Amino acid sequence: MSTLLEVSGLTKSFFGVTVLHGVDFVVRPGEALGLVGENGSGKSTSMNILGGVHRPEAGTMRLDGQAYAPQNPKDAISAGIAFIHQELNLFPNLSVEENLFVDAFPRWNGLPFIDRRAIRAQTEAVLHEVDLDIRPSTPVARLSQGERQLVEIAKALSRKARLIIFDEPTTSLTRPEVDRLFGIIAKLKARGIGIIYISHALEDVLAVCDSIAVLRDGHLAGAGPASEMPIGRMISLMVGRSIDTIYPDRQTAPGKQVVLAVEALSQPGVAEKISLEVRAGEIVGLAGLMGSGRSELARMIFGLDRFASGTIRVNGQPLDDPTPEKAIEAGIAFLTEDRRGEGLLMDFTIAENTVIASLDSVAGPLGILDNKRIASVSREMGRSMHLSTDKVEETRVKHLSGGNQQKVVIGKWLRREPTLFILDEPTRGIDVGAKQEVYRIINALTARGSGVLLISSEIEELIGLSDRILTISRGEIVAEFNNRPFDREAIMAAATGQRAWEGASA
Amino acid sequence: MAEQRQSLSVALREKRWIWPLLGFLVLWAILTALTARFSLSSLTGVAQSAAFLLLPALGQMLVVTTGRGNIDLSIPSTVTLAAYLTVLSSSGSEAGFGVTLVLVLALGLLAGAFNAGLVLLLRIPAMIATLASGYILATATLSVNARIGSFAKPPLLAWLATGRVSGVPVMVIIAVVATVLFAVLLGRSAWGRKLFAVGQSVEAARLAGVRVWAVTASTFVLSAVLSSLTGMLLAGYASGAFLEMGTPYLLQSVGAVVLGGTLIAGGSATAFGTLLGGLLLVMIVTTMQVAGLPPGAQDILQGIVIIAVLSVAGGRMGRRLS
């Protein structure tokens, strides 16, 4: 069988540290290669080399049998390689058609005007190919995440891409959008386009890919057809050991005391009379699709978004007109799904981030900060969180891996000994090892008597951790699951809007 | 060896005030070598001018540090109106000076609160809000311009603005004390940490429980109060008030902040750098005066220097450290 892309012996180092040690892989036309590995395993570096951002020290790449050595991203584009990044590269203020042609607008009769008719016709053609039924003149700002991604794919098609690389394409999609994306990928494969699919969501990788390559510490840890790569094998290749169970056992049972009581919380279009309770030492999972209102509920409780009516009580005390400041004072901690934008001050050091939510506790008279104390509490936090570095005063959090960043966010809140910890996607974009650490911390938290409200798009994670699971759909709690073992199918069905009645009366 | 070089380059990136210090020393050396007219006493003059620039520059630095393009363009009008208020309210007695001081502080508090209200409550971009409030203040100054008469300068104000303590101008001492005070506030206080957090990311600061509006408002109020005090001191120095009195402080306050290495994008500031930046800027002006350039050319050159620093610093100071 012919090969589309053949990569062999790819080697690259940064500042004397080798990050890729002779990596090989092959992509055939009409096939999808899954590229998996923990953060820092070399996935991004190899893709950056493929995209012309970095140049390898050794190794060769061949595209359709021709030597391929891109000097810059433009070379990669003209060679027919397209990237669909996690953060989409579209201009929200421009229309779909303008986004497709923004780098090379066709001229109208050679004059410096855009040939609208030409771009409209071409845009309609590629939108049709990705099954996107929207007008080419629609502003991208009005499209959902899933639709924007399809526009990106249409853009790749309009540039005659032969190889399309997807980097974590499903993280911000709803399930129906994911299914639609997988349908489109199948169509691309049928057209003979090669796919490289990078993701931490291993189920998705299995669903999409024909072959899988696992990277670990810059080496190719293993590769083979997808049929010979069950998830367990992928994980053990990724972490270099086998993991029996990723969810640690709980040592303690939930208590009696209600730490959070939400009653009839409503906000038009967002929340419809939401009521729920979280007890001390209890993990309540909140299942629901993107846009179902699950993150919005968390933001309302923490005082980040407004609500029209309803009451919130923390430890029996009413929390009226919550602001983040009042919520924190009441004992709530909130881990946001937007770690880089909202969870951390990326230019601050680990120590500065550790104390930002509890400055009063490290300030002396006149509000002067005690730097020695800050350093010692931060180092202590780093140790208990198993942080990768103990240079808490020198290291800026933006230089940490996703998993270590998340540990800093959690550590920052643990300093306040929260009675309720709201975790919104605590393991998004972090690797298996770090995930396990986060789970361990969550368990330790409940053992200490904190209540946890856990929001996650990974059903497995909710099932593995929660004592109870609530399902939210269109701003309404539609089902409650009180007893293990949880019924995955029923939760999914409820989340996708098909009402499930099981346990709803309990 | 490589490690040493790396730590040096890190130091140059982190301690951004090194650049204005180097610039100042180089200019000083050149002036001393080339011209006999530049002596230690001219250096005292430079320090004196820089001292008057420092207070508004510190205020500008605080506002700029809140990020999102925040800037205080009402500084010149506040300085001028405060000078008028000082002249108009002075009776020459120390008790009268108390009244003047209260009026001047009230002007600063009001102007600052007004700016903060425009930016935070009405959500008008600071650049436009402070431009408009500056226009209002300038118009108020015009309306009292005709009523200005002789200035019965209070002795204490005269001492503050023109006095010396063992040869060192009192203004220079005020400037140094203010720099140290703000350096401590920025580097070591909870308020300073919150200010940097707000300047870096409003969302992240808010989520960490920082009262973003309070921090932002405090910078506008401090900036206006510092400008107001400067106007009072300038009236004491110049023994009067005139309409264009505050005008130089618009470009120069921004210039001192930028030259000093404060991030124009917000989130990081250095009081020490602002002091050195102001000193360098005044030194540049002095050099041009020594060179005999006409005032118009001096202004043009100042503008060019600031543009040059911003463009050179585009990678180093303007953007965040990477």
Side-chain angles (χ1 to χ4, degrees):
Chain A
M1 194 191 239
S2 67
T3 60
L4 175 61
L5 173 75
E6 190 178 355
V7 171
S8 58
L10 219 52
T11 300
K12 175 75 186 172
S13 58
F14 292 109
F15 309 111
V17 180
T18 309
V19 292
L20 276 185
H21 305 260
V23 166
D24 312 313
F25 56 84
V26 168
V27 183
R28 294 186 185 83
E31 278 195 14
L33 168 74
L35 202 56
V36 298
E38 299 198 28
N39 293 334
S41 60
K43 289 174 305 190
S44 311
T45 309
S46 31
M47 289 308 107
N48 280 334
I49 292 172
L50 201 52
V53 179
H54 298 315
R55 268 157 295 284
E57 270 126 47
T60 55
M61 296 187 282
R62 301 184 79 78
L63 197 60
D64 261 346
Q66 308 282 317
Y68 167 66
Q71 296 302 305
N72 51 50
K74 249 197 157 119
D75 287 354
I77 292 170
S78 53
I81 294 181
F83 284 84
I84 313 290
H85 285 285
Q86 209 168 342
E87 285 98 19
L88 302 175
N89 297 314
L90 295 172
F91 300 98
N93 55 330
L94 297 184
S95 69
V96 170
E97 57 192 6
E98 286 164 343
N99 265 288
L100 255 47
F101 291 93
V102 72
D103 57 338
F105 280 117
R107 299 268 183 90
W108 183 73
N109 289 339
L111 294 170
F113 299 107
I114 296 171
D115 186 346
R116 289 269 165 195
R117 202 171 293 170
I119 67 172
R120 180 141 310 173
Q122 290 177 50
T123 304
E124 273 169 354
V126 286
L127 286 181
H128 181 72
E129 289 193 51
V130 295
D131 294 343
L132 197 53
D133 186 21
I134 52 170
R135 300 234 307 272
S137 56
T138 314
V140 165
R142 265 197 245 147
L143 303 181
S144 72
Q145 279 297 316
E147 289 170 331
R148 290 181 198 198
Q149 196 170 49
L150 294 181
V151 170
E152 283 269 18
I153 298 172
K155 191 166 146 188
L157 290 178
S158 77
R159 290 173 175 177
K160 309 276 176 281
R162 290 182 288 173
L163 176 68
I164 302 182
I165 298 158
F166 289 89
D167 187 2
E168 291 288 358
T170 57
T171 36
S172 48
L173 298 190
T174 64
R175 200 67 226 179
E177 284 178 333
V178 170
D179 292 337
R180 176 153 80 157
L181 173 68
F182 289 177
I184 299 297
I185 291 179
K187 266 178 84 172
L188 296 175
K189 292 202 301 194
R191 283 180 45 167
I193 291 173
I195 307 283
I196 295 181
Y197 189 95
I198 301 171
S199 182
H200 286 299
L202 301 180
E203 296 93 357
D204 291 350
V205 174
L206 267 189
V208 170
C209 298
D210 305 285
S211 60
I212 288 167
V214 184
L215 294 182
R216 182 175 74 237
D217 299 332
H219 294 272
L220 188 68
S227 54
E228 291 167 22
M229 281 278 183
I231 288 178
R233 183 164 152 70
M234 276 195 261
I235 292 179
S236 56
L237 285 171
M238 277 163 70
V239 299
R241 63 198 145 92
S242 70
I243 291 185
D244 308 327
T245 168
I246 174 161
Y247 303 104
D249 282 337
R250 289 275 287 287
Q251 307 294 332
T252 52
K256 283 265 180 283
Q257 198 203 348
V258 176
V259 292
L260 173 73
V262 174
E263 215 168 300
L265 203 66
S266 296
Q267 167 74 12
V270 178
E272 187 63 40
K273 290 210 162 79
I274 290 182
S275 298
L276 62 89
E277 283 186 353
V278 179
R279 283 163 207 287
E282 184 184 38
I283 301 177
V284 175
L286 203 54
L289 305 176
M290 277 267 300
S292 61
R294 46 170 214 215
S295 294
E296 290 77 2
L297 173 64
R299 298 180 69 86
M300 286 189 285
I301 295 172
F302 195 66
L304 285 165
D305 292 350
R306 296 176 162 278
F307 54 87
S309 63
T311 58
I312 298 167
R313 282 169 180 275
V314 181
N315 267 342
Q317 300 294 316
L319 182 62
D320 298 324
D321 301 321
T323 63
E325 202 194 347
K326 280 199 222 170
I328 292 169
E329 204 54 48
I332 305 180
F334 178 50
L335 179 140
T336 160
E337 60 177 333
D338 182 5
R339 179 169 63 235
R340 302 179 69 86
E342 296 186 336
L344 290 169
L345 290 149
M346 300 303 283
D347 277 313
F348 269 17
T349 62
I350 297 172
E352 286 169 328
N353 271 289
T354 306
V355 297
I356 188 68
S358 50
L359 282 173
D360 293 341
S361 72
V362 289
L366 302 171
I368 297 301
L369 300 171
D370 182 346
N371 281 343
K372 270 197 194 125
R373 205 168 128 65
I374 291 176
S376 77
V377 298
S378 304
R379 259 194 298 275
E380 192 188 302
M381 182 283 297
R383 266 195 301 273
S384 69
M385 293 285 134
H386 299 179
L387 220 54
S388 61
T389 174
D390 63 348
K391 295 194 169 154
V392 293
E393 285 181 290
E394 295 90 348
T395 314
R396 288 169 200 271
V397 292
K398 70 175 162 200
H399 294 137
L400 294 175
S401 69
N404 279 298
Q405 287 177 348
Q406 199 69 308
K407 289 180 198 170
V408 174
V409 179
I410 297 175
K412 161 179 94 176
W413 289 119
L414 290 193
R415 268 191 48 69
R416 297 201 63 98
E417 305 192 338
T419 48
L420 174 74
F421 206 149
I422 304 174
L423 299 162
D424 193 357
E425 302 286 1
T427 61
R428 173 180 284 179
I430 68 178
D431 58 51
V432 177
K435 269 185 186 180
Q436 245 189 333
E437 290 268 1
V438 169
Y439 298 150
R440 180 186 63 80
I441 296 164
I442 294 174
N443 272 0
L445 203 63
T446 55
R448 230 182 42 192
S450 302
V452 172
L453 185 62
L454 174 69
I455 299 167
S456 177
S457 346
E458 286 185 43
I459 293 274
E460 299 301 336
E461 188 168 283
L462 288 173
I463 291 176
L465 293 174
S466 307
D467 296 304
R468 277 191 299 137
I469 294 177
L470 306 176
T471 308
I472 187 167
S473 172
R474 295 197 187 88
E476 235 180 309
I477 305 259
V478 291
E480 181 170 347
F481 302 86
N482 287 320
N483 299 307
R484 289 163 173 275
F486 296 111
D487 181 349
R488 190 180 195 282
E489 301 305 316
I491 296 171
M492 287 294 291
T496 47
Q498 307 153 30
R499 284 186 185 250
W501 300 105
E502 186 228 14
S505 55
Chain B
M1 183 62 186
E3 201 169 284
Q4 253 174 17
R5 215 170 49 214
Q6 205 174 5
S7 70
L8 180 67
S9 82
V10 167
L12 285 181
R13 267 192 295 146
E14 302 256 312
K15 307 225 179 324
R16 292 180 295 249
W17 46 262
I18 286 174
W19 300 104
L21 181 62
L22 285 177
F24 172 75
L25 292 176
V26 166
L27 272 185
W28 186 15
I30 291 173
L31 279 180
T32 316
L34 289 188
T35 158
R37 279 157 64 195
F38 193 79
S39 60
L40 197 65
S41 71
S42 348
L43 195 63
T44 318
V46 168
Q48 179 105 355
S49 304
F52 278 105
L53 168 59
L54 181 85
L55 295 184
L58 285 176
Q60 189 69 274
M61 171 189 77
L62 299 176
V63 172
V64 163
T65 303
T66 59
R68 286 164 296 157
N70 282 351
I71 191 165
D72 188 351
L73 300 182
S74 66
I75 286 177
S77 307
T78 312
V79 168
T80 309
L81 183 55
Y84 273 80
L85 213 53
T86 306
V87 173
L88 286 171
S89 67
S90 286
S91 59
S93 71
E94 297 298 8
F97 181 56
V99 175
T100 301
L101 194 60
V102 168
L103 283 174
V104 164
L105 284 176
L107 168 67
L109 289 173
L110 275 176
F114 186 66
N115 282 337
L118 292 180
V119 172
L120 294 165
L121 296 178
L122 302 184
R123 301 187 182 279
I124 301 172
M127 193 172 282
I128 295 161
T130 57
L131 191 64
S133 66
Y135 189 72
I136 294 171
L137 293 172
T139 313
T141 312
L142 274 179
S143 66
V144 295
N145 189 28
R147 298 194 7 219
I148 200 148
S150 66
F151 182 21
K153 207 192 313 181
L156 180 58
L157 179 58
W159 180 74
L160 286 173
T162 56
R164 285 177 183 242
V165 173
S166 41
V168 182
V170 177
M171 266 314 290
V172 172
I173 298 172
I174 293 176
V176 170
V177 169
T179 305
V180 171
L181 179 71
F182 278 96
V184 170
L185 278 175
L186 285 178
R188 295 294 305 273
S189 80
W191 175 78
R193 195 60 62 82
K194 287 174 186 172
L195 174 57
F196 284 6
V198 168
Q200 244 191 66
S201 163
V202 172
E203 292 77 26
R206 185 158 172 249
L207 220 137
V210 174
R211 257 184 288 177
V212 173
W213 70 268
V215 172
T216 309
S218 70
T219 63
F220 280 104
V221 170
L222 276 170
S223 174
V225 167
L226 288 169
S227 298
S228 205
L229 289 174
T230 304
M232 182 189 77
L233 292 165
L234 266 182
Y237 185 72
S239 298
F242 56 95
L243 283 178
E244 300 295 305
M245 206 162 192
T247 309
Y249 294 110
L250 182 56
L251 183 63
Q252 291 196 345
S253 67
V254 177
V257 171
V258 168
L259 288 177
T262 289
L263 286 186
I264 204 78
S268 174
T270 150
F272 194 41
T274 301
L275 173 77
L276 291 169
L279 212 51
L280 174 59
L281 204 57
V282 173
M283 197 70 173
I284 291 169
V285 174
T286 309
T287 309
M288 293 187 289
Q289 282 163 353
V290 169
L293 288 179
Q298 291 178 20
D299 285 349
I300 293 172
L301 258 170
Q302 272 190 72
I304 290 173
V305 166
I306 291 168
I307 292 169
V309 168
L310 274 179
S311 63
V312 170
R316 197 170 53 237
M317 301 177 199
R319 253 177 274 139
R320 308 210 174 285
L321 304 176
S322 54

